[in-house]
Amino acid sequence: MTPTKAPEAPARRARQTATPVVNDDPTDDVDATSTVEFGPWLAQGAELRVSKWRAGRGFYAPAHRGAPTSTRQAEVLNTAAIAAPTDEEGVVIGEDRLSRTLVAGDPFTAYQKGLISSPNVVVVGDVGAGKSSLTKTVCVLRVLPLRRRRVVVFDKKDQGGRGEYTSLVERNGSTPIFFSLDGSEKRSIINLLDPAIVLGAGLGRTLDLLRAVAETVAGRGLDDWEMEALRRALRMTMTWGESAGRAPTLVDLAAQLPRVHTTRDELSPAARERLHQSAATVMFVLSGLLEEFSGLFDGETSKAIDLSDRLTSFDISQLPATGPAAPMVVAAANMWLMGVLRRRRGWFTNVLAEEGWDLIGGANGALWRSLIKLARGLGVSMITNIHKLADIPKSSPAYAIIQEAQTVHVFRQSRAEDQAASIEAFNLESSAGGSLGSLTTGDHLYKVGSNAEVRVRHVRTPWEIAVTNTDEAMTENGRGQA
């Protein structure tokens, strides 16, 4: 009897793939050339839906692929990373370590879908754990090509006399906004009374900015009399600016302080004297600021400070690593930015603060938190990159800012106190502490809203590796690899 020939399996449909990615972790035990197991992530990119009509309108999206097990079944494998993989909407982040599927996310998309109530992001972990690589890639490079998206970076890390984002900004055809105290001709000035701040943010928030700056310099809070003196001086200075036909500066404000007690009101002679003394104290503080930080706040805002480019960098890397200079510039630039955005709506903006604790700590914390509330209505996602979470006082505004963020990337933390602080601040699974101390570079726990955290491996293309690695990657050799 002649055996019947089995029918041939129908040819599988050719598939469209995304940009190839590489796993640049030398400690990873996954062999990209192995034919024993062919997981979704080992293919040359994630499989995409194929539709010419939808593709022509920008609706590329990864096809849904099944996970090797269900979330409920996987609970026994890793109770600290059991969330279902994210959907295809958003910016690609990397690979879900459990299901080996693509992970994507975007705070603006999640906000619009009602998954979160705040678009702000916190990235936390040890130095060298992969925080900067993720923010440069996911929050900057992969965002810039999107429609009506822009990125603003406060670049604090010194790399050969300039900020670490300088080459990235120059690649994008922009020039960093440079701040320095050394008298460089390239340095910029930001006016604390710039019209973008006063008109865009209002007199109330302008007063908050002046208070934060004065308290940062003084090293203490202003009392009620000193605040009243500052408030009166601000009103008098703005009136003087209107009559003079130009934007007033901090120098003009300092000149008005000795006159605040001369205004006509019902103050008693004793109260006038108390106000006069308080105004003199504030004047000495501001005069000291103008002298010590000459070239930062003592003039009109430089023309270089502009928001016309998709990628804007405030290079504060050459300001003193400690002290009030960098936090004050960031506070002023942030206020200026919010003022500009109120007049230029319709864009989504990522505002990234590298080494965020240095910038949002102290007197700037309360101001930064108020700006975050304002930012939500302006299409702004505030992204704060920090380490040593346990060192941040729980009573501080900075800690409140961290807790209010609803998109979190938690990288390796070697200190037990930082692991415990992350579990508490971000409501992670209690068993996550053990894994946080052993995460390899690039691996992290990714949490959105009230969803359980997912363990993710951040993955970059060869070009992204060339332009986001620190040190050599920002040199001519790095460009040659791009």
Side-chain angles (χ1 to χ4, degrees):
M1 180 175 180
T2 305
T4 303
K5 184 178 180 180
E8 295 184 1
R12 295 187 67 181
R13 180 181 180 184
R15 66 179 198 164
Q16 181 81 17
T17 60
T19 305
V21 297
V22 298
N23 187 342
D24 53 306
D25 180 10
T27 66
D28 198 341
D29 57 0
V30 176
D31 180 5
T33 63
S34 172
T35 59
V36 176
E37 178 185 3
F38 192 80
W41 197 259
L42 298 184
Q44 289 296 300
E47 184 175 354
L48 303 179
R49 297 190 182 96
V50 179
S51 168
K52 291 184 178 180
W53 185 89
R54 291 181 65 79
R57 289 159 177 78
F59 290 100
Y60 279 110
H64 292 290
R65 300 184 62 87
T69 184
S70 70
T71 301
R72 181 169 296 277
Q73 292 169 334
E75 290 182 11
V76 298
L77 303 178
N78 189 346
T79 58
I82 60 175
T86 56
D87 60 31
E88 69 276 9
E89 294 188 63
V91 179
V92 174
I93 298 172
E95 167 196 12
D96 183 334
R97 280 300 207 184
L98 182 62
S99 66
R100 302 175 69 89
T101 55
L102 178 145
V103 174
D106 176 62
F108 296 114
T109 302
Y111 185 83
Q112 291 172 343
K113 294 173 68 174
L115 300 178
I116 56 177
S117 58
S118 169
N120 302 313
V121 181
V122 166
V123 184
V124 60
D126 288 349
V127 174
K131 301 190 306 297
S132 291
S133 294
L134 178 114
T135 52
K136 288 177 184 175
T137 307
V138 176
C139 303
V140 181
L141 283 177
R142 295 178 186 173
V143 168
L144 291 176
L146 302 180
R147 181 175 177 268
R148 301 191 74 79
R149 293 289 187 98
R150 67 161 68 94
V151 179
V152 177
V153 178
F154 292 106
D155 190 1
K156 192 173 186 293
K157 188 180 294 184
D158 182 13
Q159 197 167 79
R162 59 182 189 171
E164 65 172 321
Y165 279 82
T166 298
S167 291
L168 201 59
V169 172
E170 292 175 347
R171 282 173 178 268
N172 197 58
S174 307
T175 301
I177 302 169
F178 181 73
F179 292 89
S180 172
L181 295 175
D182 63 2
S184 171
E185 294 181 358
K186 297 180 180 180
R187 66 178 179 174
S188 300
I189 296 175
I190 186 163
N191 180 13
L192 301 184
L193 301 181
D194 188 277
I197 295 176
V198 178
L199 299 179
L203 276 180
R205 283 197 169 89
T206 303
L207 182 64
D208 290 339
L209 172 62
L210 294 171
R211 176 178 189 168
V213 168
E215 289 182 344
T216 300
V217 175
R220 63 170 180 82
L222 299 185
D223 63 29
D224 292 342
W225 286 95
E226 291 167 338
M227 278 302 301
E228 178 60 24
L230 188 59
R231 183 182 295 107
R232 292 187 179 212
L234 176 59
R235 289 199 299 262
M236 293 169 63
T237 303
M238 300 312 301
T239 301
W240 175 88
E242 291 178 3
S243 62
R246 68 170 178 84
T249 67
L250 197 59
V251 175
D252 301 316
L253 178 68
Q256 292 294 334
L257 278 163
R259 303 185 180 95
V260 296
H261 68 292
T262 62
T263 57
R264 295 181 180 178
D265 51 31
E266 301 300 322
L267 289 179
S268 66
R272 287 182 185 278
E273 180 59 25
R274 177 71 181 273
L275 184 64
H276 177 55
Q277 292 175 359
S278 297
T281 300
V282 177
M283 183 189 69
F284 291 144
V285 170
L286 295 184
S287 297
L289 181 152
L290 292 169
E291 181 179 353
E292 183 177 358
F293 304 109
S294 175
L296 289 182
F297 310 110
D298 51 358
E300 296 190 19
T301 299
S302 302
K303 294 182 179 180
I305 299 180
D306 186 47
L307 201 62
S308 59
D309 297 321
R310 280 181 173 263
L311 176 57
T312 301
S313 170
F314 289 88
D315 186 348
I316 56 177
S317 63
Q318 301 310 301
L319 294 177
T322 58
M328 288 191 302
V329 169
V330 171
N334 221 335
M335 187 73 80
W336 172 87
L337 174 64
M338 297 305 164
V340 171
L341 292 179
R342 293 189 74 167
R343 304 196 308 272
R344 301 182 190 177
R345 296 178 183 266
W347 287 66
F348 289 132
T349 305
N350 283 356
V351 177
L352 173 60
E354 289 280 4
E355 301 188 33
W357 167 235
D358 294 336
L359 305 178
I360 66 175
N364 278 342
L367 177 63
W368 189 275
R369 191 179 184 192
S370 71
L371 290 177
I372 283 179
K373 294 179 180 179
L374 176 65
R376 186 182 308 174
L378 298 176
V380 173
S381 172
M382 308 288 274
I383 304 165
T384 310
N385 195 335
I386 62 175
H387 59 279
K388 295 185 177 180
L389 182 60
D391 291 349
I392 301 177
K394 292 183 179 180
S395 60
S396 67
Y399 190 81
I401 291 170
I402 292 168
Q403 281 193 307
E404 290 167 1
Q406 295 191 11
T407 301
V408 182
H409 301 265
V410 185
F411 285 80
R412 180 180 65 249
Q413 299 189 69
S414 55
R415 301 195 314 173
E417 56 265 42
D418 291 327
Q419 298 168 16
S422 293
I423 292 173
E424 179 181 355
F426 307 128
N427 195 27
L428 304 180
E429 291 287 337
S430 59
S431 57
S435 62
L436 285 177
S438 59
L439 291 172
T440 57
T441 300
D443 272 27
H444 64 284
L445 300 183
Y446 172 58
K447 181 177 173 65
V448 177
S450 60
N451 294 334
E453 58 271 20
V454 180
R455 180 167 174 173
V456 177
R457 170 67 185 168
H458 175 46
V459 183
R460 297 174 290 168
T461 66
W463 180 82
E464 288 172 336
I465 292 173
V467 300
T468 60
N469 276 353
T470 55
D471 302 325
E472 292 84 7
M474 293 300 179
T475 65
E476 290 298 323
N477 290 335
R479 288 194 176 97
Q481 298 171 20

Coordinates of all heavy atoms in Angstrom, one line a residue, residues 348-419:
F348 N 3.9 68.5 23.5 CA 4.3 67.7 24.7 C 5.8 67.9 24.9 O 6.6 67.7 24.0 CB 3.9 66.3 24.5 CG 2.4 66.0 24.5 CD1 1.9 65.2 23.6 CD2 1.6 66.5 25.5 CE1 0.5 64.9 23.6 CE2 0.3 66.3 25.6 CZ -0.3 65.5 24.6
T349 N 6.2 68.2 26.1 CA 7.6 68.5 26.5 C 8.1 67.6 27.6 O 7.4 67.6 28.7 CB 7.7 70.0 26.8 OG1 7.2 70.8 25.8 CG2 9.2 70.3 27.0
N350 N 9.2 67.0 27.4 CA 9.9 66.3 28.4 C 10.9 67.2 29.0 O 11.8 67.7 28.3 CB 10.6 65.0 27.9 CG 9.7 63.9 27.6 OD1 8.5 63.9 27.9 ND2 10.2 62.8 27.1
V351 N 10.8 67.4 30.3 CA 11.8 68.3 31.0 C 12.6 67.3 31.9 O 12.1 66.8 32.9 CB 11.1 69.4 31.9 CG1 12.2 70.2 32.6 CG2 10.4 70.3 30.9
L352 N 13.9 67.2 31.6 CA 14.7 66.2 32.3 C 15.8 66.9 33.2 O 16.5 67.7 32.7 CB 15.5 65.3 31.2 CG 16.5 64.4 31.7 CD1 15.9 63.3 32.6 CD2 17.1 63.7 30.5
A353 N 15.8 66.5 34.5 CA 16.7 67.0 35.4 C 17.7 65.8 35.8 O 17.3 65.0 36.6 CB 16.0 67.5 36.7
E354 N 18.9 65.8 35.2 CA 19.9 64.9 35.7 C 20.4 65.2 37.0 O 20.5 66.4 37.4 CB 21.0 64.9 34.7 CG 20.7 64.2 33.3 CD 20.7 62.7 33.3 OE1 20.9 62.1 34.4 OE2 20.5 62.1 32.3
E355 N 20.7 64.2 37.8 CA 21.2 64.5 39.2 C 20.1 65.4 39.9 O 20.4 66.4 40.5 CB 22.6 65.1 39.3 CG 23.6 64.2 38.6 CD 25.0 64.7 38.8 OE1 25.3 65.3 39.9 OE2 25.9 64.5 37.9
G356 N 18.9 64.9 39.8 CA 17.7 65.7 40.3 C 17.7 66.2 41.7 O 17.3 67.3 42.0
W357 N 18.2 65.3 42.6 CA 18.2 65.7 44.0 C 19.0 67.0 44.3 O 18.6 67.8 45.1 CB 18.7 64.5 44.9 CG 19.0 64.9 46.3 CD1 20.2 64.8 47.0 CD2 18.2 65.5 47.3 NE1 20.1 65.2 48.3 CE2 18.9 65.7 48.5 CE3 16.8 66.0 47.2 CZ2 18.3 66.3 49.6 CZ3 16.3 66.5 48.3 CH2 17.0 66.7 49.5
D358 N 20.1 67.2 43.6 CA 20.9 68.4 43.7 C 20.1 69.6 43.3 O 20.5 70.7 43.7 CB 22.2 68.3 42.9 CG 23.1 67.2 43.5 OD1 23.0 66.8 44.7 OD2 24.0 66.7 42.7
L359 N 19.1 69.4 42.4 CA 18.4 70.5 41.8 C 17.1 70.8 42.5 O 16.6 72.0 42.5 CB 18.2 70.3 40.3 CG 19.5 70.0 39.5 CD1 19.1 69.7 38.1 CD2 20.5 71.1 39.6
I360 N 16.5 69.8 43.1 CA 15.1 70.0 43.7 C 15.2 70.0 45.2 O 14.2 70.2 45.8 CB 14.1 69.0 43.2 CG1 14.5 67.6 43.7 CG2 14.0 69.0 41.7 CD1 13.5 66.5 43.4
G361 N 16.4 69.8 45.8 CA 16.5 69.9 47.2 C 16.5 71.3 47.8 O 16.5 72.3 47.0
G362 N 16.4 71.4 49.1 CA 16.5 72.7 49.7 C 15.3 73.6 49.4 O 14.2 73.1 49.3
A363 N 15.6 74.9 49.3 CA 14.5 75.9 49.1 C 13.8 75.7 47.8 O 12.7 76.1 47.6 CB 15.0 77.3 49.2
N364 N 14.5 75.1 46.8 CA 13.9 74.9 45.5 C 12.8 73.8 45.4 O 12.0 73.7 44.5 CB 15.0 74.5 44.5 CG 15.7 75.8 44.0 OD1 15.2 76.9 44.1 ND2 16.9 75.6 43.4
G365 N 12.8 73.0 46.5 CA 11.8 71.9 46.5 C 10.4 72.3 46.3 O 9.6 71.8 45.5
A366 N 10.0 73.3 47.2 CA 8.6 73.8 47.2 C 8.3 74.5 45.8 O 7.2 74.3 45.3 CB 8.4 74.8 48.3
L367 N 9.2 75.2 45.3 CA 9.0 75.9 44.0 C 8.9 74.8 42.9 O 8.0 74.9 42.1 CB 10.2 76.8 43.7 CG 10.1 77.5 42.3 CD1 8.9 78.4 42.3 CD2 11.4 78.4 42.1
W368 N 9.8 73.8 42.9 CA 9.7 72.8 41.9 C 8.4 72.1 41.9 O 7.8 71.8 40.9 CB 10.9 71.8 42.1 CG 11.1 70.8 41.0 CD1 10.5 69.6 40.9 CD2 12.0 70.9 39.9 NE1 10.9 69.0 39.8 CE2 11.8 69.8 39.1 CE3 12.9 71.9 39.5 CZ2 12.6 69.5 38.0 CZ3 13.6 71.7 38.3 CH2 13.5 70.5 37.6
R369 N 7.9 71.8 43.1 CA 6.6 71.1 43.3 C 5.5 71.9 42.7 O 4.5 71.4 42.1 CB 6.4 70.7 44.7 CG 5.2 69.8 44.9 CD 5.0 69.4 46.4 NE 3.9 68.5 46.6 CZ 3.4 68.1 47.7 NH1 3.8 68.7 48.8 NH2 2.4 67.2 47.8
S370 N 5.5 73.2 43.0 CA 4.4 74.1 42.4 C 4.5 74.2 40.9 O 3.5 74.2 40.3 CB 4.5 75.5 43.0 OG 5.7 76.2 42.5
L371 N 5.7 74.1 40.4 CA 5.9 74.1 38.9 C 5.4 72.8 38.3 O 4.8 72.8 37.2 CB 7.3 74.3 38.5 CG 7.9 75.7 38.8 CD1 9.4 75.8 38.5 CD2 7.1 76.8 38.0
I372 N 5.5 71.7 39.0 CA 5.0 70.4 38.6 C 3.5 70.5 38.4 O 3.0 70.0 37.4 CB 5.5 69.3 39.5 CG1 7.0 69.0 39.2 CG2 4.6 68.1 39.3 CD1 7.5 67.9 40.1
K373 N 2.8 71.1 39.4 CA 1.4 71.2 39.3 C 1.0 72.1 38.1 O 0.0 71.8 37.4 CB 0.8 71.8 40.6 CG 1.0 70.9 41.8 CD 0.5 71.5 43.1 CE 0.7 70.6 44.3 NZ 0.2 71.1 45.5
L374 N 1.8 73.1 37.9 CA 1.5 74.0 36.7 C 1.8 73.3 35.4 O 1.1 73.4 34.4 CB 2.4 75.3 36.8 CG 2.3 76.2 35.6 CD1 0.9 76.8 35.5 CD2 3.4 77.3 35.8
A375 N 2.9 72.4 35.4 CA 3.3 71.7 34.2 C 2.3 70.8 33.6 O 2.2 70.6 32.4 CB 4.6 71.0 34.5
R376 N 1.5 70.2 34.5 CA 0.5 69.2 34.1 C -0.5 69.8 33.1 O -0.8 69.2 32.1 CB -0.3 68.7 35.3 CG -1.2 67.5 34.9 CD -2.0 67.1 36.2 NE -1.1 66.8 37.3 CZ -1.5 66.5 38.5 NH1 -2.8 66.5 38.8 NH2 -0.6 66.3 39.5
G377 N -0.9 71.1 33.3 CA -1.8 71.7 32.3 C -1.1 72.2 31.1 O -1.8 72.7 30.2
L378 N 0.2 72.2 31.0 CA 1.0 72.7 29.9 C 1.5 71.6 29.0 O 2.3 71.9 28.1 CB 2.1 73.6 30.4 CG 1.6 74.8 31.2 CD1 2.8 75.6 31.7 CD2 0.7 75.7 30.3
G379 N 1.2 70.3 29.3 CA 1.7 69.2 28.5 C 3.2 69.0 28.8 O 3.9 68.7 27.8
V380 N 3.6 69.0 30.0 CA 5.0 68.8 30.4 C 5.1 67.6 31.3 O 4.3 67.4 32.3 CB 5.5 70.1 31.2 CG1 6.9 69.8 31.7 CG2 5.5 71.3 30.2
S381 N 6.1 66.8 31.0 CA 6.4 65.6 31.9 C 7.8 66.0 32.5 O 8.8 66.1 31.8 CB 6.5 64.3 31.1 OG 7.1 63.3 31.9
M382 N 7.8 66.1 33.9 CA 9.0 66.4 34.6 C 9.7 65.1 34.9 O 9.1 64.2 35.7 CB 8.7 67.2 35.9 CG 7.8 68.4 35.6 SD 8.7 69.7 34.8 CE 9.5 70.5 36.2
I383 N 10.9 64.9 34.4 CA 11.6 63.6 34.6 C 12.8 63.9 35.5 O 13.7 64.6 35.2 CB 12.1 63.0 33.3 CG1 10.9 62.9 32.3 CG2 12.8 61.7 33.4 CD1 11.2 62.7 30.9
T384 N 12.8 63.2 36.7 CA 13.9 63.5 37.7 C 14.7 62.2 37.8 O 14.2 61.1 38.1 CB 13.2 63.8 39.0 OG1 12.3 64.9 38.8 CG2 14.3 64.3 40.0
N385 N 16.0 62.4 37.7 CA 17.0 61.3 37.7 C 17.8 61.4 39.0 O 18.5 62.4 39.2 CB 17.9 61.3 36.5 CG 18.7 60.1 36.3 OD1 18.9 59.3 37.2 ND2 19.1 59.9 35.0
I386 N 17.6 60.4 39.9 CA 18.3 60.6 41.2 C 18.9 59.2 41.7 O 18.6 58.2 41.1 CB 17.3 61.0 42.3 CG1 16.1 59.9 42.5 CG2 16.7 62.4 42.0 CD1 15.2 60.2 43.6
H387 N 19.7 59.3 42.7 CA 20.2 58.1 43.4 C 20.2 58.3 44.9 O 20.0 59.4 45.3 CB 21.6 57.7 42.9 CG 22.7 58.8 43.1 ND1 22.8 59.8 42.2 CD2 23.6 58.9 44.0 CE1 23.8 60.6 42.6 NE2 24.3 60.1 43.7
K388 N 20.4 57.3 45.6 CA 20.4 57.3 47.1 C 19.1 57.9 47.6 O 19.1 59.0 48.3 CB 21.6 58.1 47.6 CG 23.0 57.4 47.3 CD 24.2 58.1 47.9 CE 25.5 57.4 47.6 NZ 26.6 58.1 48.2
L389 N 18.1 57.2 47.3 CA 16.7 57.7 47.7 C 16.6 57.9 49.2 O 15.9 58.8 49.7 CB 15.7 56.7 47.1 CG 14.2 57.1 47.4 CD1 13.9 58.4 46.8 CD2 13.3 56.0 46.8
A390 N 17.2 57.0 50.0 CA 17.1 57.0 51.4 C 17.6 58.3 52.0 O 17.3 58.7 53.2 CB 17.8 55.8 52.0
D391 N 18.5 59.0 51.3 CA 19.1 60.3 51.8 C 18.1 61.5 51.8 O 18.4 62.5 52.3 CB 20.4 60.6 51.1 CG 21.5 59.6 51.4 OD1 21.3 58.8 52.3 OD2 22.5 59.6 50.7
I392 N 17.0 61.3 51.1 CA 16.1 62.4 50.9 C 15.1 62.4 52.1 O 14.4 61.4 52.3 CB 15.3 62.3 49.6 CG1 16.3 62.3 48.4 CG2 14.3 63.5 49.4 CD1 15.7 62.1 47.0
P393 N 15.1 63.5 52.8 CA 14.1 63.5 54.0 C 12.7 63.4 53.6 O 12.2 64.0 52.6 CB 14.4 64.9 54.6 CG 15.7 65.3 54.1 CD 15.8 64.7 52.7
K394 N 12.0 62.5 54.3 CA 10.6 62.3 54.0 C 9.7 63.5 54.1 O 8.6 63.6 53.5 CB 10.0 61.1 54.8 CG 10.6 59.8 54.5 CD 10.0 58.7 55.3 CE 10.6 57.3 55.0 NZ 10.0 56.2 55.8
S395 N 10.1 64.4 55.0 CA 9.3 65.6 55.2 C 9.6 66.7 54.1 O 8.9 67.8 54.2 CB 9.6 66.2 56.6 OG 11.0 66.5 56.7
S396 N 10.5 66.5 53.2 CA 10.9 67.5 52.3 C 9.9 67.5 51.1 O 9.3 66.5 50.7 CB 12.3 67.3 51.8 OG 12.4 66.1 51.0
P397 N 9.8 68.7 50.4 CA 9.0 68.7 49.2 C 9.6 67.8 48.1 O 8.8 67.3 47.3 CB 9.1 70.2 48.7 CG 9.4 70.9 50.0 CD 10.2 70.0 50.8
A398 N 10.9 67.6 48.1 CA 11.5 66.7 47.1 C 11.0 65.3 47.2 O 10.7 64.6 46.2 CB 13.0 66.7 47.3
Y399 N 10.8 64.8 48.4 CA 10.3 63.5 48.6 C 8.8 63.4 48.1 O 8.4 62.4 47.5 CB 10.4 63.1 50.1 CG 10.1 61.6 50.3 CD1 11.0 60.6 50.1 CD2 8.8 61.2 50.8 CE1 10.8 59.3 50.4 CE2 8.5 59.9 51.0 CZ 9.5 58.9 50.8 OH 9.2 57.6 51.0
A400 N 8.0 64.4 48.4 CA 6.7 64.5 47.9 C 6.6 64.4 46.4 O 5.8 63.8 45.8 CB 6.0 65.7 48.4
I401 N 7.6 65.1 45.7 CA 7.7 65.1 44.3 C 7.9 63.7 43.8 O 7.3 63.2 42.8 CB 8.8 66.0 43.8 CG1 8.4 67.5 44.1 CG2 9.1 65.8 42.3 CD1 9.6 68.5 43.8
I402 N 8.8 63.0 44.4 CA 9.1 61.6 44.0 C 7.9 60.7 44.2 O 7.6 59.9 43.3 CB 10.3 61.1 44.9 CG1 11.6 61.9 44.5 CG2 10.6 59.6 44.7 CD1 12.7 61.7 45.4
Q403 N 7.2 60.8 45.3 CA 6.1 59.9 45.6 C 4.9 60.2 44.6 O 4.2 59.3 44.2 CB 5.6 60.1 47.0 CG 6.4 59.4 48.1 CD 5.7 59.4 49.4 OE1 5.3 60.4 49.9 NE2 5.5 58.2 49.9
E404 N 4.8 61.5 44.1 CA 3.7 61.8 43.2 C 3.9 61.3 41.8 O 3.0 61.3 41.0 CB 3.5 63.3 43.3 CG 2.9 63.8 44.6 CD 3.0 65.3 44.7 OE1 3.5 66.0 43.8 OE2 2.6 65.9 45.8
A405 N 5.2 61.0 41.4 CA 5.4 60.5 40.1 C 4.7 59.1 39.9 O 4.8 58.3 40.8 CB 6.9 60.4 39.9
Q406 N 4.1 58.9 38.8 CA 3.3 57.7 38.6 C 3.9 56.8 37.5 O 3.3 55.8 37.1 CB 1.9 58.0 38.3 CG 1.2 58.6 39.5 CD -0.3 58.7 39.3 OE1 -0.9 58.1 38.4 NE2 -1.0 59.4 40.2
T407 N 5.1 57.2 37.0 CA 5.9 56.4 36.1 C 7.3 56.3 36.7 O 7.9 57.3 36.9 CB 6.0 56.9 34.7 OG1 4.7 57.1 34.1 CG2 6.8 56.0 33.8
V408 N 7.7 55.1 37.1 CA 8.9 54.9 37.8 C 9.8 53.8 37.2 O 9.3 52.8 36.8 CB 8.6 54.5 39.3 CG1 9.9 54.3 40.1 CG2 7.7 55.5 39.9
H409 N 11.1 54.1 37.1 CA 12.1 53.2 36.7 C 13.1 53.0 37.8 O 13.8 53.9 38.2 CB 12.9 53.7 35.4 CG 12.0 53.9 34.2 ND1 11.8 53.0 33.2 CD2 11.3 55.0 33.9 CE1 11.0 53.5 32.3 NE2 10.7 54.8 32.7
V410 N 13.1 51.8 38.4 CA 14.0 51.6 39.6 C 15.1 50.7 39.2 O 14.9 49.5 38.9 CB 13.2 51.0 40.8 CG1 14.1 50.9 42.0 CG2 12.0 51.8 41.1
F411 N 16.3 51.2 39.2 CA 17.5 50.4 38.8 C 18.2 49.9 40.0 O 17.7 50.0 41.2 CB 18.5 51.3 38.0 CG 18.1 51.6 36.6 CD1 17.1 52.6 36.3 CD2 18.6 50.9 35.5 CE1 16.7 52.8 35.0 CE2 18.2 51.1 34.2 CZ 17.3 52.1 34.0
R412 N 19.3 49.2 39.8 CA 20.0 48.5 40.9 C 20.3 49.5 42.0 O 20.7 50.6 41.8 CB 21.3 47.9 40.4 CG 22.2 47.2 41.4 CD 23.4 46.6 40.8 NE 24.3 47.7 40.4 CZ 24.6 47.8 39.1 NH1 24.0 47.1 38.1 NH2 25.5 48.8 38.7
Q413 N 20.1 49.1 43.3 CA 20.5 49.8 44.5 C 21.2 48.9 45.4 O 20.6 48.0 45.9 CB 19.2 50.4 45.1 CG 18.5 51.3 44.1 CD 17.4 52.1 44.8 OE1 17.6 53.0 45.6 NE2 16.1 51.8 44.4
S414 N 22.5 49.2 45.6 CA 23.3 48.4 46.5 C 23.1 48.5 47.9 O 23.3 47.6 48.7 CB 24.8 48.6 46.1 OG 25.1 50.0 46.3
R415 N 22.6 49.7 48.4 CA 22.4 49.9 49.8 C 21.0 49.4 50.2 O 20.0 49.7 49.5 CB 22.5 51.4 50.1 CG 23.8 52.1 49.8 CD 24.0 53.4 50.5 NE 22.8 54.3 50.4 CZ 22.6 55.5 51.0 NH1 23.6 55.9 51.7 NH2 21.6 56.2 50.8
A416 N 21.0 48.7 51.3 CA 19.7 48.1 51.8 C 18.7 49.2 52.1 O 17.5 49.1 51.9 CB 20.0 47.3 53.0
E417 N 19.2 50.4 52.7 CA 18.3 51.4 53.0 C 17.6 52.0 51.8 O 16.4 52.5 51.8 CB 19.0 52.5 53.8 CG 20.2 53.1 53.2 CD 21.5 52.5 53.6 OE1 21.5 51.2 53.7 OE2 22.5 53.2 53.9
D418 N 18.3 52.1 50.6 CA 17.7 52.6 49.4 C 16.7 51.6 48.8 O 15.7 52.0 48.3 CB 18.8 52.8 48.4 CG 19.7 54.0 48.7 OD1 19.2 55.0 49.3 OD2 20.9 54.0 48.4
Q419 N 17.0 50.3 49.0 CA 16.0 49.3 48.5 C 14.7 49.4 49.3 O 13.6 49.4 48.7 CB 16.6 47.9 48.7 CG 17.9 47.6 47.9 CD 18.6 46.4 48.3 OE1 18.0 45.5 49.0 NE2 19.8 46.2 47.9

